[in-house]
Amino acid sequence: MEFVRLRKNRRTQQIRDLLCETKVSVDDLIMPYFVIDGMNKREQITSMPSIERISIDNLIRDIEKIRNLGIKAVLLFGICDNKDDKGTESFSSAGTIQRAIKAVKKQIKDMVVISDVCLCGYTSHGHCGIVEEHISDSDHQNYIINNDKTLEILAKIALSHAESGADFVAPSAMMDGQVRFIRDALDENGFHNVGILAYSAKYASSFYAPFREALNSAPQFGDRKTYQMDFRNSNEALREIKEDIKEGADIVMIKPALSYLDIIFRAKHEFNIPIAGYNVSGEYSMVKAFCQTYEERCQEMEKSLISEILISIKRAGADLIITYHAKEFAEYLVGK
Ligand code: PBG
């Protein structure tokens, strides 16, 4: 007979494991955390079951747990209650995120700390940059986001994180030149060893909605389409990544991950640099909502879905995955 029996290679679980091409390990995972002020605080985020806003003491407790599961890196976001139109709180040395970075690096020395560098959580208008010429009427919102003024602030934020002990800073504002500007500021201040994980191809995506609830950072007018990327494009993403590499990025990120596996794939083939995929808040919430409909089979369903999702991001070409599932996936791996 003239056909190949490919099923031989899938006959038993042992054979399948032997021939498996893609594995996700704890070494690949980065767990995000939302940090708030105060002591012993945990606040639920309605749209993200099991993810909370936590105070620094609880952050340390939670990070100790994931460290014991083998996770090596965290991505920290600070929550700010003291917002203004320029996001002044973002680079305060006594800010929540700065104190959180210091506490983690002091108490859990070997944990790799990556910090998000952006303005949207700190500005009263919720944009990732400095807003100018804002004129609003019932039909139109006219405003510009001043790229170069924003760069000055992003550099200050990055420096404040480096001074607090961050291993990598992660600029996510999608301003042109942000990686070069931050690299220069870090080097001029002696932070040659602080790396840059660049949110290089960050799309204007509705998948960020739960995150914006967590940070209370939704734009109060307009949208992010003049700085974040148009999801109809992929060549543009490669251009963004290329420029960030030239500007000094150490790791480049594609975000979101799941609807953008083609971008991860192309970037992996085009560039020789570590690639991170960000499995974002909306992707997380969709899994949780879907699994809840399975009631008593919920956990089983979650486990197989999460494995499929994380492996697909890795299979597409991501070396690292930032995911809110990191802790639960690490628990599956140790058989909990
Ligand atoms: C800040 C930032 C956002 C996310 C990470 N950094 C939100 C946004 O751009 O609106 C989204 C992360 C997620 O959805 O999990 N600019």
Side-chain angles (χ1 to χ4, degrees), residues 64-328:
E64 264 160 8
K65 283 191 197 136
I66 64 162
R67 185 188 174 280
N68 292 337
L69 291 165
I71 294 178
K72 317 246 168 352
V74 294
L75 172 61
L76 302 183
F77 295 94
I79 311 264
C80 167
D81 300 320
N82 190 15
K83 306 189 188 214
D84 62 32
D85 64 342
K86 300 216 162 31
T88 332
E89 174 79 14
S90 61
F91 52 85
S92 153
S93 60
T96 312
I97 183 72
Q98 287 81 2
R99 282 185 285 116
I101 298 168
K102 275 181 216 150
V104 177
K105 287 312 293 185
K106 185 166 172 221
Q107 295 182 54
I108 314 172
K109 293 193 170 49
D110 53 4
M111 184 54 57
V112 178
V113 172
I114 308 168
S115 62
D116 187 83
V117 174
C118 197
L119 275 173
C120 60
Y122 297 87
T123 49
S124 40
H125 45 70
H127 278 288
C128 306
I130 298 299
V131 173
E132 285 177 349
E133 296 171 35
H134 180 210
I135 303 161
S136 68
D137 60 44
S138 50
D139 298 325
H140 292 289
Q141 293 289 341
N142 278 319
Y143 59 95
I144 56 161
I145 307 285
N146 187 317
N147 193 88
D148 298 10
K149 281 188 189 161
T150 306
L151 294 181
E152 305 278 347
I153 302 187
L154 294 176
K156 285 189 192 171
I157 303 175
L159 270 183
S160 75
H161 293 183
E163 279 158 9
S164 307
D167 297 291
F168 287 85
V169 291
S172 69
M174 286 298 281
M175 293 297 128
D176 292 327
Q178 61 182 10
V179 172
R180 171 59 48 84
F181 214 82
I182 289 173
R183 183 70 267 158
D184 287 351
L186 291 172
D187 288 343
E188 277 159 24
N189 288 278
F191 294 110
H192 304 287
N193 291 329
V194 175
I196 299 181
L197 191 171
Y199 284 69
S200 301
K202 179 177 181 184
Y203 283 87
S205 169
S206 296
F207 285 105
Y208 309 150
F211 173 96
R212 291 178 189 168
E213 182 206 327
L215 239 75
N216 184 22
S217 64
Q220 298 302 299
F221 52 84
D223 54 42
R224 304 212 199 288
K225 289 182 183 163
T226 69
Y227 41 105
Q228 298 183 350
M229 281 190 41
D230 187 328
F231 55 73
R232 296 172 295 184
N233 299 345
S234 56
N235 289 337
E236 193 186 358
L238 295 202
R239 236 182 130 189
E240 287 280 359
I241 295 169
K242 190 173 160 198
E243 290 307 317
D244 277 1
I245 295 173
K246 275 201 263 170
E247 289 180 26
D250 299 285
I251 306 169
V252 295
M253 187 209 291
I254 287 135
K255 176 188 172 193
L258 261 196
S259 290
Y260 301 85
L261 294 179
D262 56 324
I263 313 296
I264 295 178
F265 181 83
R266 285 186 67 184
K268 183 68 191 169
H269 287 264
E270 191 110 356
F271 305 110
N272 179 19
I273 190 167
I275 292 178
Y278 196 148
N279 177 219
V280 299
S281 59
E283 299 175 320
Y284 173 88
S285 301
M286 281 200 309
V287 170
K288 294 287 164 180
F290 175 74
C291 292
Q292 266 164 19
T293 63
Y294 282 82
E295 292 173 0
E296 74 279 9
R297 286 179 48 222
C298 174
Q299 277 212 308
E300 195 191 318
M301 185 55 97
E302 254 182 36
K303 192 171 171 179
S304 54
L305 260 185
I306 293 168
S307 307
E308 187 174 339
I309 289 170
L310 298 186
I311 285 185
S312 71
I313 297 170
K314 185 96 190 271
R315 196 188 60 231
D319 302 289
L320 298 167
I321 308 171
I322 302 165
T323 177
Y324 303 94
H325 296 297
K327 177 167 185 258
E328 52 194 348

